[in-house]
Amino acid sequence: MLLGGIEAGGTKFVCAVGDDSGRIINKISLPTVDPEETIKAVREFFNTYSIEALGVGSFGPIDLDVDSETYGTILNTPKTKWKHYDLLGNLKRAFQVPVYLDTDVNAAALGEYKYGVASDVKSCLYITVGTGIGAGFVQDGKTYIGKNHPEMGHIFVQQREDDTFAGSCPYHGACLEGLASGTAIEKRYGQKGVSLSDKEEVWELEAYYLAQAIVNYTMILSPEMIILGGGVMKQENLYPLIREKVLELVNGYVEIGSRSEFIVAPGLADEQGVKGALALTFGE
Amino acid sequence: MLLGGIEAGGTKFVCAVGDDSGRIINKISLPTVDPEETIKAVREFFNTYSIEALGVGSFGPIDLDVDSETYGTILNTPKTKWKHYDLLGNLKRAFQVPVYLDTDVNAAALGEYKYGVASDVKSCLYITVGTGIGAGFVQDGKTYIGKNHPEMGHIFVQQREDDTFAGSCPYHGACLEGLASGTAIEKRYGQKGVSLSDKEEVWELEAYYLAQAIVNYTMILSPEMIILGGGVMKQENLYPLIREKVLELVNGYVEIGSRSEFIVAPGLADEQGVKGALALTFGE
C-alpha cells in the first residue's frame, strides 16, 4: 500500500511517497509559490503513484477545528495568496483519497515519535527554533490539537533584565518568538545567528529564553522527552546551555528525567516532517 | 449504583456519596490530619454505604505515572506526614473497590465539564488561584495527565517592570505562583487580599500576571473555555480586568471566542472538586 506525505512549508513543499513502515520510495521538494501552481506540481508528482491516503503537515495558522465551517483552511498568514485557501478541500478534490491534515510541527513530532529519537517514549514535544518558533506534541501516538491548534511559540516568558530588545513579534513584541527566534536574533544583533556562533553571550541569552519556554511546556504538558530542532539549534552548544538552565529553573520541583535524555536533538535530520506526514495517514 | 468521591485537600477531605448522574446523597468535610487518622475517618463515613467505586482528586504533588513503582503515592509535600504516603494503595485496601486517582484540579475541571459551566463545551481548563496556583484540563471528557501530572502554577511569566517583589515560591521565586498566588499577595503587601479589595493597583497587577498565564495556557493547550476559581477569584472585579488584558495580549493572533464566554467563573460553587471526583469513577 502506497501512501503520500506532504510537509507543506512556507518556502517549500516536501512531498514523499512511502509505505506504512515509514520507508520513503520517492521524494521531491517544490517551491511554495501561489496555491494553484503549487498544488498542480504536487499533483504531478503523486500522479505516477496510486496512493491510498495522504497526510499533510502544514504551515499555519490553519483551521483545525473540525466543527468550524472553514476546517482545513489556511487562516491569517503573511503569505497573502494562501490566506483563506482551502488546503484540505483542494487536496481532497485533487487526489480523491482520505486526507489527514495537521500542523507542520505536529507532523514533525509524530515523525520523531514513530521513527526517530522518541520511538521508545510515550510522549514527546518537538520544538522548532528557526525564523519563527513552534512546537508539536504527541502522546500515545496521537498528535495534540485543542479547540484549534496550539501556537506554542507565542507564550510569554521573563525577559532578562539587561535585554532591552523590544522583541520582533509583530503581534506580541517580546513573546518567546519575539525574543528567541532566528528573526529576533538577527534584529537584536543586526546580523544572522550563524555569524555570531562564537559569541558566548548570544547563546547564553538564547538558552535563557528557550529554557524558560521548556519549563513552561513541561509544567503544562509534562512530556517524556523534548526535542529541539530548527535552524537556530544548529548552534550545538545551545543544548548543554539549555539543559543546565532548565535544571536550575525547575530546581527539583518536578522530575524531568536525566539531563541528556530529556532534552535532545532530532533523530531524523530533516525528514521528521515528511515522515510524520506519512504517519498521519495511519489513523489511530 | 452508589459511588464515592473524595476531594483530598491539604486542609480538608470532602467526601461524598453519589450516583452516576452527579447527584450527591451525603457529604461531609473532614480535617486533614495525619494519614492514618484521616483515612480512618473517611472509612467510617463511607462504611454506611456500599459504594462500588471511588474517585479521588488529591492534593499533590502525587505520582500519577502508571509505569512508576510509586504510582499513587504523595511526593514531596511540605505536609511531612503525608510525604511518600501510598494514598492509592491504602484506599484500595480500605474499600476493596476500584479507586480512580487524579489531581484535585483535574477533578475540579471534570466536575465543571460534566455538571457545571463547561457542560456544553469540548474542553476546559480549571485554574484555581488560592494559597497556591494550579490548573486541571479536560478534553472530550478525559482529564489530562502527561508523563506525570502538570504543575501549571509554576510557569514563568514576564514580571512587570515596577514590581520588585522577589516572589514567594520556595522553588522558583518569581514564577506565576510566586507572583500571583494568595500567598504572594499577602507577602508583597503585608496583608491578605481580602483586606485589599478596594486597592485598584493590587488587582491590576494580579490581572497582569493571570492574563499572561491564561495566554500561555491557551497558546499551548488551546482550551475552549477557561474557568477561574479559588479564593483569590472571590475578588470579582478580577474577571473583567483579566478578560481585557488577555484580549490585549493575544492581539488577535488566535481566536479565543467572545470575551465573556472564554474566561468564566465556576458554575458549581465549591462542589466541582467532589463532583468531579465522583465522575472520575465513570471511566471512559
Side-chain angles (χ1 to χ4, degrees):
Chain A
M1 178 162 110
L2 292 181
L3 300 163
I6 304 175
E7 185 189 352
T11 54
K12 61 183 181 183
F13 269 50
V14 180
C15 304
V17 171
D19 61 26
D20 60 6
S21 74
R23 193 170 62 99
I24 289 179
I25 291 154
N26 195 5
K27 192 175 85 164
I28 51 159
S29 179
L30 303 162
T32 306
V33 283
D34 66 68
E36 287 69 31
E37 203 180 327
T38 308
I39 299 303
K40 187 165 169 271
V42 167
R43 210 169 156 165
E44 279 164 12
F45 169 71
F46 283 113
N47 268 353
T48 6
Y49 305 91
S50 39
I51 57 168
E52 293 182 37
L54 179 66
V56 184
S58 176
F59 71 98
I62 186 162
D63 188 344
L64 292 182
D65 177 0
V66 289
D67 295 331
S68 163
E69 281 181 20
T70 53
Y71 176 60
T73 297
I74 307 277
L75 300 171
N76 278 321
T77 169
K79 290 171 248 302
T80 48
K81 286 177 178 171
W82 289 85
K83 201 168 169 172
H84 307 311
Y85 181 70
D86 180 9
L87 182 63
L88 181 64
N90 279 289
L91 288 171
K92 279 184 172 173
R93 276 187 289 278
F95 293 102
Q96 303 286 328
V97 296
V99 179
Y100 300 85
L101 183 64
D102 210 321
T103 60
D104 44 8
V105 278
N106 266 350
L110 186 61
E112 291 288 347
Y113 177 91
K114 288 269 185 193
Y115 313 113
V117 70
S119 59
D120 61 351
V121 295
K122 289 188 177 171
S123 63
C124 70
L125 183 76
Y126 181 94
I127 308 172
T128 177
V129 189
T131 319
I133 297 180
F137 181 57
V138 170
Q139 189 176 33
D140 297 326
K142 283 169 75 172
T143 60
Y144 181 78
I145 301 169
K147 169 66 177 163
N148 210 325
H149 64 79
E151 282 284 353
M152 299 199 204
H154 294 269
I155 61 169
F156 292 100
V157 294
Q158 177 74 59
Q159 188 158 10
R160 207 171 71 182
E161 247 171 66
D162 62 342
D163 180 22
T164 55
F165 180 52
S168 65
C169 174
Y171 288 89
H172 315 117
C175 68
L176 175 70
E177 181 170 300
L179 289 171
S181 62
T183 309
I185 294 173
E186 195 177 339
K187 281 206 178 159
R188 185 189 280 109
Y189 302 104
Q191 49 190 309
K192 282 186 189 290
V194 281
S195 58
L196 295 161
S197 64
D198 57 347
K199 302 276 183 216
E200 245 175 71
E201 67 277 17
V202 170
W203 308 110
E204 288 277 354
L205 185 65
E206 183 69 10
Y208 180 82
Y209 294 128
L210 293 177
Q212 282 187 72
I214 287 171
V215 172
N216 286 4
Y217 301 146
T218 301
M219 294 298 179
I220 294 172
L221 292 170
S222 188
E224 194 169 340
M225 177 182 278
I226 290 197
I227 307 161
L228 276 166
V232 172
M233 294 308 301
K234 306 280 183 204
Q235 180 75 22
E236 287 184 1
N237 69 329
L238 272 174
Y239 290 94
L241 286 172
I242 291 168
R243 284 181 194 125
E244 197 175 329
K245 191 76 196 162
V246 166
L247 274 190
E248 184 191 319
L249 289 173
V250 168
N251 196 19
Y253 187 68
V254 292
E255 223 180 284
I256 51 163
S258 71
R259 289 169 64 159
S260 57
E261 283 173 351
F262 182 59
I263 298 170
V264 300
L268 296 180
D270 292 320
E271 289 201 325
Q272 57 282 110
V274 75
K275 285 198 171 180
L278 279 169
L280 284 171
T281 65
F282 303 169
E284 283 166 35
Chain B
M1 178 163 111
L2 291 181
L3 301 163
I6 303 175
E7 184 189 353
T11 55
K12 60 181 183 187
F13 270 50
V14 180
C15 304
V17 172
D19 61 27
D20 59 8
S21 72
R23 193 169 62 99
I24 290 179
I25 290 154
N26 195 5
K27 192 175 85 165
I28 50 160
S29 178
L30 303 163
T32 307
V33 284
D34 67 69
E36 288 68 32
E37 203 179 326
T38 307
I39 298 302
K40 187 165 168 271
V42 167
R43 211 170 155 165
E44 278 163 13
F45 169 71
F46 283 112
N47 268 353
T48 5
Y49 305 90
S50 38
I51 56 167
E52 293 182 37
L54 180 65
V56 184
S58 175
F59 71 97
I62 186 160
D63 188 343
L64 291 183
D65 178 359
V66 289
D67 296 331
S68 162
E69 280 181 21
T70 53
Y71 176 60
T73 297
I74 307 274
L75 301 171
N76 277 320
T77 168
K79 291 170 248 302
T80 48
K81 287 178 178 170
W82 288 85
K83 201 169 170 171
H84 307 312
Y85 181 69
D86 180 9
L87 183 63
L88 182 65
N90 278 290
L91 289 171
K92 280 184 171 173
R93 277 186 289 278
F95 294 102
Q96 303 287 326
V97 295
V99 179
Y100 300 86
L101 183 64
D102 210 322
T103 60
D104 44 7
V105 279
N106 267 351
L110 187 62
E112 291 289 347
Y113 176 90
K114 288 269 186 194
Y115 312 112
V117 69
S119 60
D120 60 351
V121 295
K122 288 187 175 171
S123 63
C124 70
L125 183 77
Y126 181 93
I127 308 171
T128 177
V129 189
T131 318
I133 296 179
F137 182 57
V138 171
Q139 189 176 34
D140 296 326
K142 284 169 75 172
T143 59
Y144 181 78
I145 300 167
K147 169 68 177 162
N148 209 324
H149 65 79
E151 283 284 354
M152 300 201 204
H154 295 268
I155 61 169
F156 292 100
V157 294
Q158 175 75 57
Q159 188 159 11
R160 207 172 69 182
E161 248 171 66
D162 62 342
D163 181 20
T164 55
F165 181 53
S168 64
C169 175
Y171 288 89
H172 314 117
C175 68
L176 175 70
E177 181 170 300
L179 289 170
S181 63
T183 310
I185 293 173
E186 194 176 342
K187 282 206 179 159
R188 185 189 280 110
Y189 302 104
Q191 49 190 309
K192 282 187 187 290
V194 282
S195 58
L196 294 162
S197 64
D198 57 346
K199 302 276 183 215
E200 246 175 69
E201 67 277 17
V202 172
W203 309 108
E204 288 278 354
L205 185 65
E206 184 68 9
Y208 179 83
Y209 294 128
L210 293 178
Q212 282 188 72
I214 287 172
V215 172
N216 285 5
Y217 301 146
T218 301
M219 293 299 179
I220 294 171
L221 292 170
S222 187
E224 194 169 340
M225 178 182 276
I226 290 199
I227 306 162
L228 277 165
V232 172
M233 294 309 300
K234 306 281 183 205
Q235 180 75 24
E236 288 185 0
N237 68 330
L238 271 175
Y239 290 95
L241 287 172
I242 290 167
R243 284 181 194 127
E244 197 175 327
K245 192 75 195 164
V246 166
L247 274 190
E248 185 191 319
L249 290 173
V250 169
N251 197 19
Y253 187 69
V254 292
E255 224 180 282
I256 50 163
S258 71
R259 291 168 63 160
S260 57
E261 283 173 350
F262 182 59
I263 299 170
V264 300
L268 296 180
D270 293 321
E271 290 201 325
Q272 58 282 110
V274 75
K275 286 198 170 181
L278 280 169
L280 285 171
T281 64
F282 302 170
E284 284 168 35

